[in-house]
Amino acid sequence: MDEPAKGTHQETIANTEAVRRLEPPARAAALSRMAPAELRTVFEQLEPALQEEVIAHLRDPQVHRLVEDLDPDDRVRLLEQLPKPVSQLLLARLSPHERRLTHKLLGFPEESAGRIMNPEYLPLAPEWSAAEALEHVRRQGRQVETVNVLPVLGEGRRLLGLMMLSDLVLADPAARVADLMVSSPPSVGPEADQEEVARLLQAADLLALPVLDDDGQILGLITVDDAMDVLQSEIEEDIARAGASEPLDRPYLSVSVFRLTRARFVWLLLLALAGALTVNVLNAFESVLDEVVTLSLFIPLLIGVGGNSGAQAATTIIRAMTRGDLEGRGPLPIVLRETRVGLLLGTAIAALAYFPVMLFFNQPLATTVGLALITICTGANLVGAGMPLIADRVGIDPAVVSAPVVTTLVDALGLLAYFLIARAVMGI
């Protein structure tokens, strides 16, 4: 009996991927031809942005059933994506029970634990035997999103512990739930940041995390699949911004050329404006270049090394921040650490460049290039490490000041340092 189920699951995954790659009208047409159960399964697996496009092309009865059948946390993510009049209309058409659960989640701040938790769970009593608890799971388990993790509740719905289904299945039928549960499990409040919660789930290797109010009463569970969705979304956003673009929130082939252009245009415009700094620096030192033309030969080398060094530092720091490696650390030691790395890198590259430049040109130019490489690499690492930390302190996503932004800034500062060093060393 397992093989057909496995085959059906694989077919559903294949259908979902095929639907993702279609244009909106074709996507809705493909879904409308599916059996109701298959339609619901595929629709649940689509990203909220694609769900929004789908319901715009389906008939009202189909839309109502699909939204009604979603888990409350998945429904909230969809409603956040929709225009307010549409979301209010869909809310009004929900059954009273589903509407109450949805309003409960919408009452919490955006991107908080309360928004991604599922308020439907299967509680156990501590005095039950393992056999009684299993029978309860068999009777009521289909009504909730997950039975892999079962909260054990005391008086006033206060959380006493968590019961793993695997432990319950393997336990002595006469054993008490209170003796089998995990006491004092990790928990979060409903207003905790969803990304931090997702990383806690990942770090603690948990299947679910309870969300508690100030009195220790359980509000819901955040399951590992919802946490991974949050992390995936954050990773995609960071990758997009690291490449100077806005996240698409949907598969590439389902995005129009106009939307792809819009996602990149603003970033390119800002970087072009920032690049004007480099033009101004070159213009200010035009007389220096006229006097020693050979200085211009090394500009691509210097800004390339500086930009790449700054981008490396920025990427390293953003990754460390994302992983939580810098928790509890002040910014100064981190910036000083990266500055020392830049000094060592610059010194190593300068040592390699010094003798070839001296051999083919002259000693003053070799000294100028060598000192410029040391200064630029050190400064680039300082900027690359400092900008994400400053952005985080003022509440800006560190990915916004990612590699392209750092590179553009380092180009201008590096050229300024190069020409100032040239004036001092070569007496121009």
Side-chain angles (χ1 to χ4, degrees):
M1 293 179 64
D2 290 338
E3 283 305 314
K6 182 177 179 182
T8 302
H9 181 63
Q10 291 175 337
E11 184 179 341
T12 299
I13 293 174
N15 289 341
T16 303
E17 290 304 315
V19 165
R20 278 194 177 104
R21 292 190 290 267
L22 296 173
E23 293 289 332
R27 186 182 298 121
L31 287 170
S32 64
R33 292 193 294 269
M34 293 181 180
E38 181 73 2
L39 169 60
R40 175 192 172 192
T41 302
V42 171
F43 183 79
E44 286 177 347
Q45 295 181 26
L46 294 177
E47 295 85 348
L50 296 187
Q51 291 177 337
E52 176 191 6
E53 293 178 352
V54 166
I55 64 176
H57 293 84
L58 292 178
R59 298 188 303 273
D60 282 351
Q62 288 178 303
V63 172
H64 171 70
R65 285 195 302 271
L66 289 173
V67 177
E68 176 79 20
D69 289 341
L70 287 173
D71 289 320
D73 52 326
D74 295 331
R75 186 184 302 123
V76 165
R77 279 194 285 273
L78 171 59
L79 294 177
E80 288 174 338
Q81 185 77 29
L82 297 171
K84 192 170 183 179
V86 178
S87 63
Q88 289 178 336
L89 178 62
L90 291 175
L91 265 173
R93 292 181 175 179
L94 292 174
S95 64
H97 174 69
E98 295 298 333
R99 191 185 313 124
R100 179 179 59 81
L101 293 177
T102 306
H103 275 300
K104 181 179 179 179
L105 300 193
L106 288 171
F108 296 110
E110 291 186 12
E111 299 189 354
S112 67
R115 284 287 183 105
I116 62 171
M117 72 177 183
N118 196 314
E120 295 180 304
Y121 50 86
L122 192 62
L124 302 180
E127 67 273 10
W128 288 353
S129 67
E132 290 173 326
L134 274 175
E135 181 58 30
H136 179 65
V137 171
R138 293 189 187 97
R139 290 198 312 268
Q140 305 293 333
R142 296 183 184 279
Q143 300 177 16
V144 297
E145 181 181 3
T146 182
V147 294
N148 292 318
V149 179
L150 306 160
V152 182
L153 306 184
E155 292 184 11
R157 306 191 70 77
R158 292 176 63 87
L159 182 70
L160 302 178
L162 293 179
M163 185 74 242
M164 303 298 117
L165 180 62
S166 57
D167 294 339
L168 190 61
V169 171
L170 298 174
D172 184 331
R176 293 174 64 249
V177 168
D179 299 325
L180 299 171
M181 69 181 186
V182 177
S183 301
S184 303
S187 62
V188 295
E191 297 189 357
D193 181 80
Q194 64 177 16
E195 185 177 359
E196 294 178 4
V197 171
R199 298 202 179 281
L200 174 60
L201 254 168
Q202 184 184 46
D205 199 21
L206 301 172
L207 294 176
L209 192 66
V211 181
L212 307 181
D213 63 14
D214 294 337
D215 297 323
Q217 294 181 328
I218 188 168
L219 298 174
L221 290 175
I222 297 175
T223 55
V224 66
D225 58 322
D226 292 325
M228 293 307 102
D229 286 343
V230 170
L231 290 181
Q232 179 66 24
S233 175
E234 294 292 339
I235 290 170
E236 289 177 356
E237 182 177 295
D238 289 347
I239 290 173
R241 287 179 174 160
S245 180
E246 281 300 302
L248 299 175
D249 297 326
R250 62 198 72 202
Y252 172 80
L253 292 177
S254 69
V255 180
S256 67
V257 172
F258 175 77
R259 185 180 177 89
L260 287 171
T261 305
R262 188 177 64 183
R264 303 174 190 176
F265 175 75
V266 174
W267 277 90
L268 284 178
L269 180 61
L270 291 174
L271 292 175
L273 293 174
L277 291 172
T278 304
V279 176
N280 289 331
V281 171
L282 289 170
N283 184 57
F285 288 92
E286 184 179 3
S287 60
V288 175
L289 286 173
D290 288 341
E291 190 166 340
V292 184
V293 178
T294 50
L295 284 173
S296 62
L297 298 176
F298 296 93
I299 290 177
L301 167 68
L302 295 172
I303 65 175
V305 170
N308 290 332
S309 182
Q312 287 176 335
T315 302
T316 301
I317 294 301
I318 291 173
R319 180 177 181 274
M321 294 170 68
T322 301
R323 288 168 52 90
D325 295 344
L326 308 184
E327 289 293 330
R329 301 291 184 91
L332 185 58
I334 298 166
V335 172
L336 291 177
R337 178 186 177 90
E338 278 299 318
T339 302
R340 291 198 300 271
V341 172
L343 178 61
L344 290 173
L345 287 170
T347 302
I349 296 174
L352 292 173
Y354 181 82
F355 292 103
V357 176
M358 186 175 67
L359 179 64
F360 289 101
F361 296 94
N362 55 63
Q363 190 271 334
L365 182 59
T367 301
T368 298
V369 172
L371 290 175
L373 283 167
I374 295 172
T375 303
I376 289 172
C377 280
T378 304
N381 274 45
L382 172 64
V383 172
M387 287 185 67
L389 293 170
I390 293 171
D392 187 57
R393 282 294 181 95
V394 299
I396 300 174
D397 186 351
V400 172
V401 290
S402 56
V405 177
V406 170
T407 300
T408 304
L409 181 59
V410 168
D411 286 350
L413 296 177
L415 284 178
L416 180 62
Y418 179 42
F419 290 128
L420 290 176
I421 292 170
R423 274 183 170 177
V425 172
M426 305 178 74
I428 305 171

